[in-house]
Amino acid sequence: GNSVTQMEGPVTLSEEAFLTINCTYTATGYPSLFWYVQYPGEGLQLLLKATKADDKGSNKGFEATYRKETTSFHLEKGSVQVSDSAVYFCALSTSGSRLTFGEGTQLTVNP
Amino acid sequence: GAGVSQSPSNKVTEKGKDVELRCDPISGHTALYWYRQRLGQGLEFLIYFQGNSAPDKSGLPSDRFSAERTGESVSTLTIQRTQQEDSAVYLCASSLVGGRTPYEQYFGPGTRLTVT
């Protein structure tokens, strides 16, 4: 079956630090890959996505590249801000319907 | 425009009672999903509705759980004879269409269920 493994948190960084949150997956077929973000007190929002190998998703300074050879979709940002503090979820879909999520990584950015 | 809404936002119930959770999807979205998020864990898929097709119920954890959807609008998730392990945040999402193309799923704020 499908599964997603995320880097364990929580992660605490200083403002302007470089961020990497690791995500690897197991899937049948050719999955689409997603990063969702949940800001404090808000609903889950799509941050970025990639639908095929070597695609790079990007949004709000965040990037992730679909690596089929390593079955990975690591999230990166060159310079984090306090406002990036949130829980980040890696997810995949192989059927175009249900999403399979990782367990989430809590990020705290201190000023 | 209006996003996905869910009610109630919080629900505290006694073990053994039945509860109903409501989801109003974005107007025009044909696909609707229910997920469960236990404390400190990721989201678990529960059930998926797409248009007039039979729902995908494969994620429902037991026969105490059921869900209905009226046409392409409101959905209700019902949990009968609630147990403490049912305590979680129940999230609803909708999208334009399911199928082969993974259209973005828009999530509601969730219903936090606490079973005492």
Side-chain angles (χ1 to χ4, degrees), chain B residues 33-94:
Chain B
Y33 317 77
W34 284 97
Y35 295 89
R36 176 171 72 176
Q37 184 177 20
R38 289 174 165 160
L39 185 64
Q41 298 185 19
L43 282 77
E44 305 169 70
F45 167 78
L46 296 177
I47 188 168
Y48 160 56
F49 296 91
Q50 165 53 15
N52 294 320
S53 302
D56 176 358
K57 303 179 181 181
S58 59
L60 295 178
S62 78
D63 59 7
R64 296 187 295 104
F65 288 72
S66 62
E68 293 183 346
R69 187 179 186 193
T70 306
E72 293 184 351
S73 60
V74 172
S75 176
T76 303
L77 177 69
T78 301
I79 308 173
Q80 296 179 309
R81 306 182 301 283
T82 52
Q83 303 296 313
Q84 289 187 331
E85 61 263 27
D86 299 335
S87 296
V89 176
Y90 289 83
L91 289 164
C92 177
S94 69

Side-chain angles (χ1 to χ4, degrees), chain A residues 64-93:
Chain A
T65 301
Y66 188 141
R67 301 288 188 199
K68 186 178 178 183
E69 63 276 12
T70 53
T71 62
S72 65
F73 193 55
H74 304 320
L75 182 68
E76 296 183 336
K77 186 173 186 181
S79 176
V80 294
Q81 304 300 311
V82 172
S83 57
D84 294 326
S85 297
V87 182
Y88 292 82
F89 293 91
C90 186
L92 69 82
S93 172

